[in-house]
């Protein structure tokens, strides 16, 4: 078992609470916010903005269309933090488990968006998920553009 942990941070001009709202309560808006990267986010169980909700994603990963199903494990409105656990999809072909946390941290102007990926590789030769880092970067840029256009 090979555990992995990646973190990446992006500065954004958008306020932390607005960024958090998109990831925690309105992920189904991603197909409009980031259509080149996210084609759909559908509700499978539960309700938007609630832990325990199961969502299905259709997205581009390194130029390849993929699907995933995730459960929202945690939403912390005080910390502007949302945690997802992948329960189906291509990532589980390489990783025994995969957790994604997105936290928006308010700065004097704008916010810092911190992504944390925790995973367990199926074997030692499985690479770290660099493509998911690129997707996180693209999604963050698209959220920033969406939110700052509305301001």
């Amino acid at each position: 078992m090979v555990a992995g942990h990646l973190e990446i941070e992006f500065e954004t001009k958008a306020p932390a609470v607005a960024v958090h709202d998109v990831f925690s309560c309105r992920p189904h808006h991603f197909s409009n916010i980031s259509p080149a990267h996210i084609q759909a986010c559908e509700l499978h169980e539960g309700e938007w903005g609630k832990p325990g909700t199961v969502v299905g994603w259709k997205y581009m990963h390194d130029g390849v269309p993929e699907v995933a199903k995730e459960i929202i494990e945690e939403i912390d409105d005080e910390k502007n933090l949302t945690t997802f656990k992948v329960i189906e999809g291509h990532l589980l072909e390489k990783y025994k488990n995969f957790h994604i946390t997105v936290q928006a941290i308010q700065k004097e102007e704008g916010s810092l968006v911190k992504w944390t990926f925790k995973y367990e590789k199926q074997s030692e030769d499985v690479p770290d998920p660099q493509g998911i880092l690129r997707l996180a970067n693209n999604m963050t840029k698209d959220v920033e553009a969406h939110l700052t256009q509305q301001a």
Side-chain angles (χ1 to χ4, degrees):
M1 292 189 253
V2 182
H5 180 105
L6 290 175
E7 288 186 356
I8 192 161
E9 295 177 344
F10 304 103
E11 291 206 19
T12 174
K13 295 176 183 143
V17 69
V19 173
H20 172 64
D21 183 62
V22 172
F23 284 100
S24 65
C25 297
R26 298 185 292 126
H28 52 295
H29 289 208
F30 268 107
S31 59
N32 295 325
I33 294 170
S34 188
H37 308 289
I38 306 295
Q39 287 68 57
C41 180
E42 302 163 339
L43 184 67
H44 286 269
E45 287 179 34
E47 70 183 86
W48 298 117
K50 303 286 184 196
T53 296
V54 176
V55 296
W57 297 87
K58 293 180 183 174
Y59 62 101
M60 295 300 289
H61 178 257
D62 289 339
V64 177
E66 297 285 1
V67 295
K69 193 180 281 187
E70 299 174 344
I71 186 166
I72 298 174
E73 289 192 314
E74 177 184 10
I75 296 175
D76 185 330
D77 291 331
E78 285 186 24
K79 293 181 181 176
N80 293 321
L81 179 143
T82 306
T83 301
F84 300 88
K85 177 183 178 183
V86 178
I87 56 174
E88 287 181 22
H90 76 102
L91 288 172
L92 296 183
E93 294 168 9
K94 294 181 180 179
Y95 306 96
K96 292 180 183 179
N97 56 61
F98 204 97
H99 297 261
I100 302 164
T101 300
V102 185
Q103 182 177 18
I105 302 160
Q106 187 62 46
K107 296 178 61 179
E108 193 170 311
E109 288 188 33
S111 60
L112 187 67
V113 180
K114 179 179 178 180
W115 291 77
T116 304
F117 304 93
K118 293 181 182 177
Y119 47 90
E120 186 180 341
K121 298 177 181 182
Q122 294 279 9
S123 65
E124 288 186 26
D125 60 342
V126 171
D128 289 320
Q130 296 298 324
I132 295 296
L133 286 180
R134 287 188 289 279
L135 179 62
N137 180 30
N138 292 328
M139 290 172 69
T140 303
K141 286 180 183 177
D142 290 343
V143 167
E144 175 184 37
H146 175 75
L147 293 173
T148 55
Q149 285 173 356
Q150 290 182 336

